[in-house]
Amino acid sequence: MGEPHPIPSGQLDRRGLLFILSSPSGAGKTTLSRMLLAKDEDIKLSVSVTTRAPRPGEVDGVHYHFVSNEKFDAMVEEDDFYEWAHVFDHRYGTPKGLIRTALKEGQDFLFDIDWQGTQQLYQKDQQDVVSVFILPPSLDELRRRLEARAQDSDAVIDDRMDRARAEISHWAEYDYVVINDDVDECFDRVREVLDAERMRRTRQTGLIPFVRELMA
Ligand code: 5GP
């Protein structure tokens, strides 16, 4: 029997991951994102840049970086985005910022982005991406949740319902799919995915030195 090892395997060095939560508007990904950020210290939000106006309660730099069309154009021109896309009538993008360096240091990032952004992130960095698609239990329930939010007009809600169908059609492009019937249960499933993916052998950069010492 060997000596107990001083480094528990859960604390070995590892590479961070890009954790994507996508869903149609109203299926709960914003609530799930908030729960994850509140309960998990090792993940932080990748704050997107958008040309849309802030909703009540949204804070610049926290929920989004709200910018003008001209500023967005300039950022595209400067190649400042990891990915960007037109969603509804606006543009949204992930700024490159410190993501690349932070991944090497084991920082995980949460992305609340749509299927277009997910495809682009996969193309740029397949090994680090873990994607989860959140499905509503039914379209009636989705509409009810959008109406309860009461932040958008009827016309906007109708439009979002049409787009929800389009968004849902991309479910099969994701690594994991979770139905959000009960938000707490859904959250537990999402966390299980994240925990398991953190343990993926290829992300655990500390394994080789650990095993070398274990066998010495
Ligand atoms: P909302 O306007 O409701 O905050 O977001 C609308 C949609 O834009 C959501 O489906 C959201 O996932 C998507 N979105 C937000 N940020 C980004 C981003 O940086 N890139 C992409 N591709 N989509 C985003």
Side-chain angles (χ1 to χ4, degrees):
M1 260 193 14
E3 292 293 310
H5 201 275
I7 318 165
S9 61
Q11 288 170 25
L12 294 180
D13 283 348
R14 68 171 178 88
R15 199 174 155 75
L17 51 84
L18 305 173
F19 195 62
I20 301 178
L21 285 183
S22 292
S23 76
S25 287
K29 70 177 182 295
T30 306
T31 308
L32 292 163
S33 299
R34 284 193 193 129
M35 290 168 83
L36 199 55
L37 292 166
K39 294 195 176 156
D40 191 315
E41 289 177 354
D42 295 330
I43 194 160
K44 69 179 179 197
L45 187 68
S46 165
V47 180
S48 296
V49 177
T50 182
T51 57
R52 84 151 161 77
R55 295 201 185 108
E58 285 184 335
V59 178
D60 187 37
V62 175
H63 299 96
Y64 283 105
H65 300 287
F66 297 98
V67 300
S68 64
N69 271 308
E70 294 69 31
K71 170 77 181 163
F72 201 97
D73 287 340
M75 291 183 75
V76 172
E77 196 69 24
E78 296 286 310
D79 197 24
D80 282 345
F81 289 117
Y82 225 165
E83 62 74 33
W84 69 271
H86 286 277
V87 186
F88 307 121
D89 298 325
H90 301 287
R91 288 178 293 171
Y92 297 78
T94 303
K96 281 185 186 155
L98 297 169
I99 287 182
R100 287 211 170 97
T101 340
L103 277 178
K104 281 195 196 121
E105 289 162 5
Q107 174 69 56
D108 299 322
F109 287 96
L110 175 64
F111 290 81
D112 171 350
I113 58 177
D114 76 337
W115 64 272
Q116 304 173 78
T118 305
Q119 285 186 351
Q120 291 178 61
L121 277 190
Y122 260 121
Q123 274 161 15
K124 290 241 167 86
D125 188 1
Q126 191 168 6
Q127 61 160 357
D128 295 319
V129 170
V130 176
S131 64
V132 182
F133 196 84
I134 309 294
L135 279 176
S138 70
L139 288 186
D140 283 349
E141 175 60 16
L142 184 68
R143 184 168 193 104
R144 203 192 57 71
R145 289 181 193 170
L146 283 177
E147 285 170 354
R149 204 156 73 172
Q151 285 179 353
D152 298 308
S153 67
D154 278 356
V156 170
I157 290 176
D158 285 345
D159 194 38
R160 289 196 169 210
M161 284 303 293
D162 287 343
R163 287 164 199 263
R165 287 189 179 82
E167 183 82 23
I168 289 171
S169 70
H170 291 276
W171 67 274
E173 294 157 27
Y174 285 74
D175 299 322
Y176 299 87
V177 178
V178 183
I179 299 170
N180 184 7
D181 197 356
D182 175 277
V183 73
D184 291 318
E185 273 175 30
C186 182
F187 178 68
D188 288 345
R189 298 289 90 77
V190 168
R191 241 186 141 180
E192 284 162 12
V193 168
L194 179 58
D195 285 343
E197 287 287 347
R198 282 172 170 159
M199 282 191 287
R200 195 176 272 278
R201 176 180 51 77
T202 49
R203 287 190 226 291
Q204 299 215 52
T205 47
L207 266 179
I208 290 178
F210 175 79
V211 174
R212 200 171 277 154
E213 193 172 323
L214 191 74
M215 305 299 273

